[in-house]
Amino acid sequence: VDEHPKFGEPGTYADGPNEYDVYVVAQQFAFVPGTQEPIRVPANSVVTFHVTSRDVTHGFQVVGTNANTMAIPGQVATLTVEFDEAADEEYGLLCHEYCGSAHHAMEGSIQVVPQSQWNESMVVN
């Protein structure tokens, strides 16, 4: 996982006009990114999630949507979601596959932000 160019530095990457790829690594008991820092995506965009696991089978569910997949070690699950609602929305992330003693606490979030705020967050000083 760490040797893959995108999973080695998981996060949101622009893929085209209003199209983004998000690379997420699930591990006991967190989503990277997602748990310690939210996944940030621009409003009015199409987002393809690429999800894998570092250790055991996990679930990846975007609460309030039908986006739901399993994260299996050695495999990459891919799902596409359209975030076309108003900006400043937040979605929860949940693990829906029992992954160990702290499974119940494995959660995270996705923040949908205005395009201008997403661009600002990508500027490296």
Side-chain angles (χ1 to χ4, degrees):
V1 171
D2 292 332
E3 293 176 16
H4 185 280
K6 300 289 173 92
F7 285 115
E9 292 194 36
T12 305
Y13 295 87
D15 188 41
N18 299 320
E19 295 180 4
Y20 300 86
D21 288 313
V22 177
Y23 291 82
V24 179
V25 177
Q27 62 189 40
Q28 292 178 315
F29 297 97
F31 297 104
V32 180
T35 298
Q36 298 233 350
E37 60 186 61
I39 296 170
R40 291 171 47 94
V41 298
N44 301 310
S45 63
V46 175
V47 178
T48 300
F49 291 95
H50 306 270
V51 185
T52 192
S53 172
R54 185 178 310 278
D55 44 29
V56 300
T57 299
H58 295 279
F60 181 84
Q61 178 181 9
V62 181
V63 178
T65 74
N66 63 353
N68 177 347
T69 191
M70 293 173 68
I72 300 171
Q75 297 184 18
V76 177
T78 303
L79 64 147
T80 301
V81 179
E82 289 187 39
F83 290 101
D84 57 0
E85 63 279 332
D88 297 326
E89 294 286 327
E90 187 162 322
Y91 292 89
L93 286 177
L94 291 178
C95 177
H96 57 75
E97 294 290 329
Y98 182 76
C99 58
S101 61
H103 162 73
H104 64 283
M106 188 169 170
E107 58 186 31
S109 64
I110 298 172
Q111 290 179 342
V112 181
V113 299
Q115 180 73 44
S116 60
Q117 286 183 14
W118 189 83
N119 286 339
E120 290 171 4
S121 71
M122 297 296 104
V123 175
V124 178
N125 294 325

